[in-house]
Amino acid sequence: MAVQEARQGADAGAHQGGCTCGDCPHGARAGHRRAVAEFLLKREEFAAGQGLPAAVAHSASASRQWVSEELTQSAELVAERGRAEGEAWLARLWRRTVYAVWAVVVALLLVQALTAIGTGWSSARTAGLVAAVVVAGALSAASWFHRARGGVLAPVVGEDNRLSTSRVVAVGWVLFVAYAVLVLVGRLAAASSPAERDALISGLELARGAGVVTVLAVVCGIAVLVRRVVGLRVLGQRLQKVRADRPRAADLLTDDAGRGTFADIQYVVISAVALVFGVVRLARRPDQLPDLPWGLAVVVLVSAATYVAGKYSEGGRPVILSVVRAREAGDLDGPIRTGDDIEIRGAGFVPPGAQRADRLSRMVVRIGPVNVHVPLVPVTGGFSNPTDEVLTVPVPADVEPGRVEVQVVTAAGAETNRYAIDVTE
């Protein structure tokens, strides 16, 4: 389908579903889809040995370099269209977040109306509805001021343009506690007798809400701590991070490569269950802070500790384990000479989230004083070079014979250890 779309792309008119500019959301989306389709078509053709000009077809190294350059240029166009689509998507997202917030308020009104049948409307229901309107209004105002960065989602988007699990959990608990306090404030404002006012004020005492206050303090502290930990690990080249085109809901449960991670999943699930319990408890006892049982609070704290431990253990610095002369079938064994291909074996060459061609094309191998860009070698469905464990690059003629050091620079900017090899004439 992508190949068919690429072949039909030239017939599409401007702003008719085929616009490739970024001045409108539909055009940005269509432009990105078409750029991806054209890149996939070009990669599959090169993988099948088609599309090579006659001037380079006679040389394996020349054809490989030409194919890599062509794919790199096409991948850069895909990346540019992807960034344009991401910006357009964020710009129109703020309206959806506002609609979602007020949809929750309407749902709360319907639930309160249904549960009031037979029992009658109470001041607690009025206070809950007013608190929801206040919170929704504040979120709508914040969404307007951050409309270029996703509206309500702006505070929970990390520096890598992905949704931050720790921030989403912390914001959930902050909104829940703020809503609970506003419910008590509304009931206190409507209370007529001194005894009722005293009972509502006593509902704010720490003894009533120690569990929820503890959980709130821990999750907020973790949101700050994780940001600091990730930043320091990136600066220390112990963690590789690449920027995403736009945030996705799946970011809450996956790593940068889109694989599900246990630490994130259990943190989100347990926190969501605890929040549901708190909401039900507040609905049953709207005259005090939700008294989260210490057993459930400890479960949330254990989940938070597991999440932090997972953040400390993820990632790692890329490393070169060995460098050997690449040998094709029929070649004679021998030392590494200029013009030969070398195979660099190790781990962590491709950071999570950097599997796209535009990121792979940014990888560089330093051979002595010479920087060699890693060529892209297409195969059906992907690339055989580079990979996370193996890189193959030619030794350029500018490298002087003798003992030289090899070092890999990944797409995230992290550098491997230096590995010494001997280059002969």
PDB file of all heavy atoms in Angstrom, residues 80-109:
ATOM      1  N   GLU A  80      12.147  15.327   8.273  1.00  0.00           N
ATOM      2  CA  GLU A  80      11.624  16.694   8.217  1.00  0.00           C
ATOM      3  C   GLU A  80      10.103  16.696   8.183  1.00  0.00           C
ATOM      4  O   GLU A  80       9.457  17.482   8.892  1.00  0.00           O
ATOM      5  CB  GLU A  80      12.188  17.397   6.986  1.00  0.00           C
ATOM      6  CG  GLU A  80      11.699  18.823   6.825  1.00  0.00           C
ATOM      7  CD  GLU A  80      12.220  19.466   5.545  1.00  0.00           C
ATOM      8  OE1 GLU A  80      13.087  18.851   4.888  1.00  0.00           O
ATOM      9  OE2 GLU A  80      11.746  20.562   5.209  1.00  0.00           O
ATOM     10  N   ARG A  81       9.511  15.831   7.353  1.00  0.00           N
ATOM     11  CA  ARG A  81       8.055  15.744   7.290  1.00  0.00           C
ATOM     12  C   ARG A  81       7.492  15.241   8.617  1.00  0.00           C
ATOM     13  O   ARG A  81       6.410  15.662   9.046  1.00  0.00           O
ATOM     14  CB  ARG A  81       7.630  14.806   6.168  1.00  0.00           C
ATOM     15  CG  ARG A  81       8.087  15.200   4.777  1.00  0.00           C
ATOM     16  CD  ARG A  81       7.618  16.575   4.391  1.00  0.00           C
ATOM     17  NE  ARG A  81       7.922  16.858   2.990  1.00  0.00           N
ATOM     18  CZ  ARG A  81       7.963  18.064   2.470  1.00  0.00           C
ATOM     19  NH1 ARG A  81       7.715  19.118   3.240  1.00  0.00           N
ATOM     20  NH2 ARG A  81       8.245  18.238   1.185  1.00  0.00           N
ATOM     21  N   GLY A  82       8.210  14.321   9.279  1.00  0.00           N
ATOM     22  CA  GLY A  82       7.738  13.821  10.563  1.00  0.00           C
ATOM     23  C   GLY A  82       7.716  14.900  11.629  1.00  0.00           C
ATOM     24  O   GLY A  82       6.786  14.971  12.438  1.00  0.00           O
ATOM     25  N   ARG A  83       8.752  15.739  11.645  1.00  0.00           N
ATOM     26  CA  ARG A  83       8.757  16.841  12.613  1.00  0.00           C
ATOM     27  C   ARG A  83       7.632  17.828  12.329  1.00  0.00           C
ATOM     28  O   ARG A  83       6.991  18.344  13.256  1.00  0.00           O
ATOM     29  CB  ARG A  83      10.113  17.546  12.574  1.00  0.00           C
ATOM     30  CG  ARG A  83      11.237  16.743  13.199  1.00  0.00           C
ATOM     31  CD  ARG A  83      12.489  17.586  13.331  1.00  0.00           C
ATOM     32  NE  ARG A  83      13.050  17.918  12.033  1.00  0.00           N
ATOM     33  CZ  ARG A  83      13.975  17.202  11.399  1.00  0.00           C
ATOM     34  NH1 ARG A  83      14.413  16.076  11.961  1.00  0.00           N
ATOM     35  NH2 ARG A  83      14.455  17.572  10.231  1.00  0.00           N
ATOM     36  N   ALA A  84       7.369  18.105  11.050  1.00  0.00           N
ATOM     37  CA  ALA A  84       6.271  19.012  10.697  1.00  0.00           C
ATOM     38  C   ALA A  84       4.931  18.425  11.126  1.00  0.00           C
ATOM     39  O   ALA A  84       4.060  19.138  11.660  1.00  0.00           O
ATOM     40  CB  ALA A  84       6.278  19.285   9.197  1.00  0.00           C
ATOM     41  N   GLU A  85       4.761  17.125  10.917  1.00  0.00           N
ATOM     42  CA  GLU A  85       3.513  16.496  11.338  1.00  0.00           C
ATOM     43  C   GLU A  85       3.373  16.525  12.855  1.00  0.00           C
ATOM     44  O   GLU A  85       2.282  16.758  13.403  1.00  0.00           O
ATOM     45  CB  GLU A  85       3.443  15.058  10.845  1.00  0.00           C
ATOM     46  CG  GLU A  85       2.133  14.371  11.215  1.00  0.00           C
ATOM     47  CD  GLU A  85       2.177  12.876  11.021  1.00  0.00           C
ATOM     48  OE1 GLU A  85       3.268  12.336  10.774  1.00  0.00           O
ATOM     49  OE2 GLU A  85       1.112  12.248  11.148  1.00  0.00           O
ATOM     50  N   GLY A  86       4.481  16.285  13.566  1.00  0.00           N
ATOM     51  CA  GLY A  86       4.420  16.312  15.022  1.00  0.00           C
ATOM     52  C   GLY A  86       4.039  17.674  15.562  1.00  0.00           C
ATOM     53  O   GLY A  86       3.242  17.785  16.510  1.00  0.00           O
ATOM     54  N   GLU A  87       4.598  18.727  14.972  1.00  0.00           N
ATOM     55  CA  GLU A  87       4.244  20.080  15.415  1.00  0.00           C
ATOM     56  C   GLU A  87       2.782  20.397  15.123  1.00  0.00           C
ATOM     57  O   GLU A  87       2.084  21.005  15.945  1.00  0.00           O
ATOM     58  CB  GLU A  87       5.166  21.090  14.738  1.00  0.00           C
ATOM     59  CG  GLU A  87       6.623  20.976  15.177  1.00  0.00           C
ATOM     60  CD  GLU A  87       7.530  21.889  14.373  1.00  0.00           C
ATOM     61  OE1 GLU A  87       7.007  22.568  13.452  1.00  0.00           O
ATOM     62  OE2 GLU A  87       8.743  21.933  14.653  1.00  0.00           O
ATOM     63  N   ALA A  88       2.308  20.007  13.943  1.00  0.00           N
ATOM     64  CA  ALA A  88       0.904  20.249  13.602  1.00  0.00           C
ATOM     65  C   ALA A  88      -0.019  19.440  14.511  1.00  0.00           C
ATOM     66  O   ALA A  88      -1.087  19.924  14.914  1.00  0.00           O
ATOM     67  CB  ALA A  88       0.654  19.895  12.139  1.00  0.00           C
ATOM     68  N   TRP A  89       0.381  18.211  14.839  1.00  0.00           N
ATOM     69  CA  TRP A  89      -0.427  17.374  15.721  1.00  0.00           C
ATOM     70  C   TRP A  89      -0.527  17.972  17.117  1.00  0.00           C
ATOM     71  O   TRP A  89      -1.612  18.011  17.720  1.00  0.00           O
ATOM     72  CB  TRP A  89       0.187  15.978  15.789  1.00  0.00           C
ATOM     73  CG  TRP A  89      -0.587  15.000  16.611  1.00  0.00           C
ATOM     74  CD1 TRP A  89      -1.667  14.264  16.228  1.00  0.00           C
ATOM     75  CD2 TRP A  89      -0.328  14.644  17.969  1.00  0.00           C
ATOM     76  NE1 TRP A  89      -2.097  13.477  17.262  1.00  0.00           N
ATOM     77  CE2 TRP A  89      -1.292  13.687  18.344  1.00  0.00           C
ATOM     78  CE3 TRP A  89       0.633  15.039  18.903  1.00  0.00           C
ATOM     79  CZ2 TRP A  89      -1.326  13.122  19.617  1.00  0.00           C
ATOM     80  CZ3 TRP A  89       0.606  14.485  20.170  1.00  0.00           C
ATOM     81  CH2 TRP A  89      -0.362  13.540  20.507  1.00  0.00           C
ATOM     82  N   LEU A  90       0.583  18.482  17.644  1.00  0.00           N
ATOM     83  CA  LEU A  90       0.557  19.118  18.955  1.00  0.00           C
ATOM     84  C   LEU A  90      -0.289  20.391  18.929  1.00  0.00           C
ATOM     85  O   LEU A  90      -0.988  20.702  19.897  1.00  0.00           O
ATOM     86  CB  LEU A  90       1.979  19.449  19.411  1.00  0.00           C
ATOM     87  CG  LEU A  90       2.824  18.292  19.934  1.00  0.00           C
ATOM     88  CD1 LEU A  90       4.236  18.769  20.255  1.00  0.00           C
ATOM     89  CD2 LEU A  90       2.184  17.679  21.172  1.00  0.00           C
ATOM     90  N   ALA A  91      -0.208  21.138  17.823  1.00  0.00           N
ATOM     91  CA  ALA A  91      -0.955  22.404  17.744  1.00  0.00           C
ATOM     92  C   ALA A  91      -2.455  22.180  17.785  1.00  0.00           C
ATOM     93  O   ALA A  91      -3.193  23.025  18.318  1.00  0.00           O
ATOM     94  CB  ALA A  91      -0.560  23.158  16.482  1.00  0.00           C
ATOM     95  N   ARG A  92      -2.938  21.077  17.233  1.00  0.00           N
ATOM     96  CA  ARG A  92      -4.382  20.834  17.246  1.00  0.00           C
ATOM     97  C   ARG A  92      -4.809  19.935  18.401  1.00  0.00           C
ATOM     98  O   ARG A  92      -6.005  19.708  18.586  1.00  0.00           O
ATOM     99  CB  ARG A  92      -4.814  20.206  15.917  1.00  0.00           C
ATOM    100  CG  ARG A  92      -4.294  18.813  15.650  1.00  0.00           C
ATOM    101  CD  ARG A  92      -4.838  18.280  14.322  1.00  0.00           C
ATOM    102  NE  ARG A  92      -4.410  16.923  14.043  1.00  0.00           N
ATOM    103  CZ  ARG A  92      -3.316  16.587  13.385  1.00  0.00           C
ATOM    104  NH1 ARG A  92      -2.513  17.538  12.929  1.00  0.00           N
ATOM    105  NH2 ARG A  92      -3.000  15.329  13.169  1.00  0.00           N
ATOM    106  N   LEU A  93      -3.840  19.448  19.179  1.00  0.00           N
ATOM    107  CA  LEU A  93      -4.173  18.539  20.279  1.00  0.00           C
ATOM    108  C   LEU A  93      -4.823  19.268  21.443  1.00  0.00           C
ATOM    109  O   LEU A  93      -5.640  18.679  22.164  1.00  0.00           O
ATOM    110  CB  LEU A  93      -2.906  17.817  20.755  1.00  0.00           C
ATOM    111  CG  LEU A  93      -3.086  16.827  21.914  1.00  0.00           C
ATOM    112  CD1 LEU A  93      -3.992  15.668  21.502  1.00  0.00           C
ATOM    113  CD2 LEU A  93      -1.731  16.308  22.388  1.00  0.00           C
ATOM    114  N   TRP A  94      -4.510  20.549  21.632  1.00  0.00           N
ATOM    115  CA  TRP A  94      -4.983  21.230  22.830  1.00  0.00           C
ATOM    116  C   TRP A  94      -6.516  21.301  22.857  1.00  0.00           C
ATOM    117  O   TRP A  94      -7.115  21.226  23.933  1.00  0.00           O
ATOM    118  CB  TRP A  94      -4.375  22.633  22.910  1.00  0.00           C
ATOM    119  CG  TRP A  94      -4.951  23.644  21.964  1.00  0.00           C
ATOM    120  CD1 TRP A  94      -4.572  23.891  20.693  1.00  0.00           C
ATOM    121  CD2 TRP A  94      -6.026  24.554  22.249  1.00  0.00           C
ATOM    122  NE1 TRP A  94      -5.336  24.890  20.138  1.00  0.00           N
ATOM    123  CE2 TRP A  94      -6.229  25.323  21.082  1.00  0.00           C
ATOM    124  CE3 TRP A  94      -6.827  24.802  23.371  1.00  0.00           C
ATOM    125  CZ2 TRP A  94      -7.197  26.315  21.003  1.00  0.00           C
ATOM    126  CZ3 TRP A  94      -7.784  25.784  23.300  1.00  0.00           C
ATOM    127  CH2 TRP A  94      -7.971  26.525  22.133  1.00  0.00           C
ATOM    128  N   ARG A  95      -7.140  21.421  21.692  1.00  0.00           N
ATOM    129  CA  ARG A  95      -8.610  21.434  21.666  1.00  0.00           C
ATOM    130  C   ARG A  95      -9.166  20.081  22.116  1.00  0.00           C
ATOM    131  O   ARG A  95     -10.164  20.025  22.845  1.00  0.00           O
ATOM    132  CB  ARG A  95      -9.103  21.774  20.265  1.00  0.00           C
ATOM    133  CG  ARG A  95      -8.859  23.203  19.833  1.00  0.00           C
ATOM    134  CD  ARG A  95      -9.553  23.500  18.523  1.00  0.00           C
ATOM    135  NE  ARG A  95      -9.394  24.875  18.114  1.00  0.00           N
ATOM    136  CZ  ARG A  95      -8.381  25.335  17.395  1.00  0.00           C
ATOM    137  NH1 ARG A  95      -7.435  24.492  16.994  1.00  0.00           N
ATOM    138  NH2 ARG A  95      -8.298  26.613  17.048  1.00  0.00           N
ATOM    139  N   ARG A  96      -8.528  19.014  21.682  1.00  0.00           N
ATOM    140  CA  ARG A  96      -8.997  17.693  22.085  1.00  0.00           C
ATOM    141  C   ARG A  96      -8.851  17.485  23.592  1.00  0.00           C
ATOM    142  O   ARG A  96      -9.702  16.851  24.220  1.00  0.00           O
ATOM    143  CB  ARG A  96      -8.214  16.612  21.327  1.00  0.00           C
ATOM    144  CG  ARG A  96      -8.377  16.692  19.811  1.00  0.00           C
ATOM    145  CD  ARG A  96      -7.589  15.586  19.127  1.00  0.00           C
ATOM    146  NE  ARG A  96      -7.687  15.664  17.675  1.00  0.00           N
ATOM    147  CZ  ARG A  96      -7.093  14.843  16.840  1.00  0.00           C
ATOM    148  NH1 ARG A  96      -6.323  13.860  17.317  1.00  0.00           N
ATOM    149  NH2 ARG A  96      -7.233  14.977  15.542  1.00  0.00           N
ATOM    150  N   THR A  97      -7.771  17.998  24.155  1.00  0.00           N
ATOM    151  CA  THR A  97      -7.610  17.859  25.605  1.00  0.00           C
ATOM    152  C   THR A  97      -8.679  18.640  26.358  1.00  0.00           C
ATOM    153  O   THR A  97      -9.182  18.178  27.392  1.00  0.00           O
ATOM    154  CB  THR A  97      -6.206  18.327  26.022  1.00  0.00           C
ATOM    155  OG1 THR A  97      -6.009  19.695  25.632  1.00  0.00           O
ATOM    156  CG2 THR A  97      -5.129  17.476  25.375  1.00  0.00           C
ATOM    157  N   VAL A  98      -9.018  19.825  25.854  1.00  0.00           N
ATOM    158  CA  VAL A  98     -10.086  20.605  26.500  1.00  0.00           C
ATOM    159  C   VAL A  98     -11.420  19.872  26.398  1.00  0.00           C
ATOM    160  O   VAL A  98     -12.178  19.789  27.386  1.00  0.00           O
ATOM    161  CB  VAL A  98     -10.174  22.005  25.867  1.00  0.00           C
ATOM    162  CG1 VAL A  98     -11.410  22.744  26.374  1.00  0.00           C
ATOM    163  CG2 VAL A  98      -8.922  22.815  26.179  1.00  0.00           C
ATOM    164  N   TYR A  99     -11.716  19.317  25.234  1.00  0.00           N
ATOM    165  CA  TYR A  99     -12.959  18.556  25.075  1.00  0.00           C
ATOM    166  C   TYR A  99     -12.981  17.356  26.022  1.00  0.00           C
ATOM    167  O   TYR A  99     -14.022  17.040  26.618  1.00  0.00           O
ATOM    168  CB  TYR A  99     -13.103  18.074  23.631  1.00  0.00           C
ATOM    169  CG  TYR A  99     -13.227  19.182  22.610  1.00  0.00           C
ATOM    170  CD1 TYR A  99     -12.839  18.972  21.287  1.00  0.00           C
ATOM    171  CD2 TYR A  99     -13.710  20.438  22.961  1.00  0.00           C
ATOM    172  CE1 TYR A  99     -12.944  19.987  20.345  1.00  0.00           C
ATOM    173  CE2 TYR A  99     -13.807  21.446  22.028  1.00  0.00           C
ATOM    174  CZ  TYR A  99     -13.423  21.234  20.725  1.00  0.00           C
ATOM    175  OH  TYR A  99     -13.521  22.242  19.796  1.00  0.00           O
ATOM    176  N   ALA A 100     -11.851  16.684  26.164  1.00  0.00           N
ATOM    177  CA  ALA A 100     -11.797  15.517  27.049  1.00  0.00           C
ATOM    178  C   ALA A 100     -12.021  15.921  28.506  1.00  0.00           C
ATOM    179  O   ALA A 100     -12.718  15.220  29.255  1.00  0.00           O
ATOM    180  CB  ALA A 100     -10.451  14.815  26.892  1.00  0.00           C
ATOM    181  N   VAL A 101     -11.444  17.045  28.919  1.00  0.00           N
ATOM    182  CA  VAL A 101     -11.608  17.500  30.308  1.00  0.00           C
ATOM    183  C   VAL A 101     -13.072  17.806  30.599  1.00  0.00           C
ATOM    184  O   VAL A 101     -13.623  17.368  31.625  1.00  0.00           O
ATOM    185  CB  VAL A 101     -10.718  18.738  30.559  1.00  0.00           C
ATOM    186  CG1 VAL A 101     -11.111  19.421  31.861  1.00  0.00           C
ATOM    187  CG2 VAL A 101      -9.249  18.323  30.612  1.00  0.00           C
ATOM    188  N   TRP A 102     -13.726  18.530  29.699  1.00  0.00           N
ATOM    189  CA  TRP A 102     -15.125  18.865  29.953  1.00  0.00           C
ATOM    190  C   TRP A 102     -16.048  17.674  29.750  1.00  0.00           C
ATOM    191  O   TRP A 102     -17.144  17.625  30.326  1.00  0.00           O
ATOM    192  CB  TRP A 102     -15.535  20.037  29.066  1.00  0.00           C
ATOM    193  CG  TRP A 102     -14.935  21.331  29.543  1.00  0.00           C
ATOM    194  CD1 TRP A 102     -13.862  21.975  29.029  1.00  0.00           C
ATOM    195  CD2 TRP A 102     -15.356  22.098  30.671  1.00  0.00           C
ATOM    196  NE1 TRP A 102     -13.579  23.104  29.748  1.00  0.00           N
ATOM    197  CE2 TRP A 102     -14.488  23.213  30.761  1.00  0.00           C
ATOM    198  CE3 TRP A 102     -16.374  21.955  31.599  1.00  0.00           C
ATOM    199  CZ2 TRP A 102     -14.615  24.167  31.756  1.00  0.00           C
ATOM    200  CZ3 TRP A 102     -16.502  22.922  32.596  1.00  0.00           C
ATOM    201  CH2 TRP A 102     -15.637  23.999  32.668  1.00  0.00           C
ATOM    202  N   ALA A 103     -15.624  16.708  28.961  1.00  0.00           N
ATOM    203  CA  ALA A 103     -16.404  15.465  28.860  1.00  0.00           C
ATOM    204  C   ALA A 103     -16.412  14.723  30.188  1.00  0.00           C
ATOM    205  O   ALA A 103     -17.427  14.114  30.572  1.00  0.00           O
ATOM    206  CB  ALA A 103     -15.827  14.574  27.759  1.00  0.00           C
ATOM    207  N   VAL A 104     -15.303  14.781  30.910  1.00  0.00           N
ATOM    208  CA  VAL A 104     -15.262  14.167  32.244  1.00  0.00           C
ATOM    209  C   VAL A 104     -16.227  14.876  33.188  1.00  0.00           C
ATOM    210  O   VAL A 104     -16.916  14.242  34.001  1.00  0.00           O
ATOM    211  CB  VAL A 104     -13.825  14.203  32.791  1.00  0.00           C
ATOM    212  CG1 VAL A 104     -13.789  13.745  34.245  1.00  0.00           C
ATOM    213  CG2 VAL A 104     -12.917  13.320  31.956  1.00  0.00           C
ATOM    214  N   VAL A 105     -16.287  16.214  33.081  1.00  0.00           N
ATOM    215  CA  VAL A 105     -17.229  16.965  33.931  1.00  0.00           C
ATOM    216  C   VAL A 105     -18.668  16.569  33.609  1.00  0.00           C
ATOM    217  O   VAL A 105     -19.494  16.363  34.521  1.00  0.00           O
ATOM    218  CB  VAL A 105     -17.008  18.482  33.737  1.00  0.00           C
ATOM    219  CG1 VAL A 105     -18.048  19.271  34.542  1.00  0.00           C
ATOM    220  CG2 VAL A 105     -15.602  18.874  34.164  1.00  0.00           C
ATOM    221  N   VAL A 106     -18.992  16.451  32.336  1.00  0.00           N
ATOM    222  CA  VAL A 106     -20.347  16.047  31.950  1.00  0.00           C
ATOM    223  C   VAL A 106     -20.647  14.636  32.444  1.00  0.00           C
ATOM    224  O   VAL A 106     -21.748  14.352  32.931  1.00  0.00           O
ATOM    225  CB  VAL A 106     -20.505  16.151  30.417  1.00  0.00           C
ATOM    226  CG1 VAL A 106     -21.854  15.570  29.982  1.00  0.00           C
ATOM    227  CG2 VAL A 106     -20.385  17.600  29.963  1.00  0.00           C
ATOM    228  N   ALA A 107     -19.663  13.733  32.337  1.00  0.00           N
ATOM    229  CA  ALA A 107     -19.860  12.372  32.836  1.00  0.00           C
ATOM    230  C   ALA A 107     -20.103  12.367  34.333  1.00  0.00           C
ATOM    231  O   ALA A 107     -20.957  11.611  34.845  1.00  0.00           O
ATOM    232  CB  ALA A 107     -18.647  11.512  32.481  1.00  0.00           C
ATOM    233  N   LEU A 108     -19.373  13.214  35.071  1.00  0.00           N
ATOM    234  CA  LEU A 108     -19.596  13.315  36.519  1.00  0.00           C
ATOM    235  C   LEU A 108     -21.003  13.807  36.824  1.00  0.00           C
ATOM    236  O   LEU A 108     -21.669  13.300  37.740  1.00  0.00           O
ATOM    237  CB  LEU A 108     -18.556  14.253  37.131  1.00  0.00           C
ATOM    238  CG  LEU A 108     -18.702  14.549  38.626  1.00  0.00           C
ATOM    239  CD1 LEU A 108     -18.532  13.266  39.439  1.00  0.00           C
ATOM    240  CD2 LEU A 108     -17.703  15.609  39.069  1.00  0.00           C
ATOM    241  N   LEU A 109     -21.484  14.786  36.055  1.00  0.00           N
ATOM    242  CA  LEU A 109     -22.839  15.293  36.255  1.00  0.00           C
ATOM    243  C   LEU A 109     -23.874  14.197  36.021  1.00  0.00           C
ATOM    244  O   LEU A 109     -24.838  14.058  36.799  1.00  0.00           O
ATOM    245  CB  LEU A 109     -23.083  16.474  35.319  1.00  0.00           C
ATOM    246  CG  LEU A 109     -24.503  17.058  35.304  1.00  0.00           C
ATOM    247  CD1 LEU A 109     -24.881  17.567  36.694  1.00  0.00           C
ATOM    248  CD2 LEU A 109     -24.622  18.169  34.264  1.00  0.00           C
TER     249      LEU A 109
END
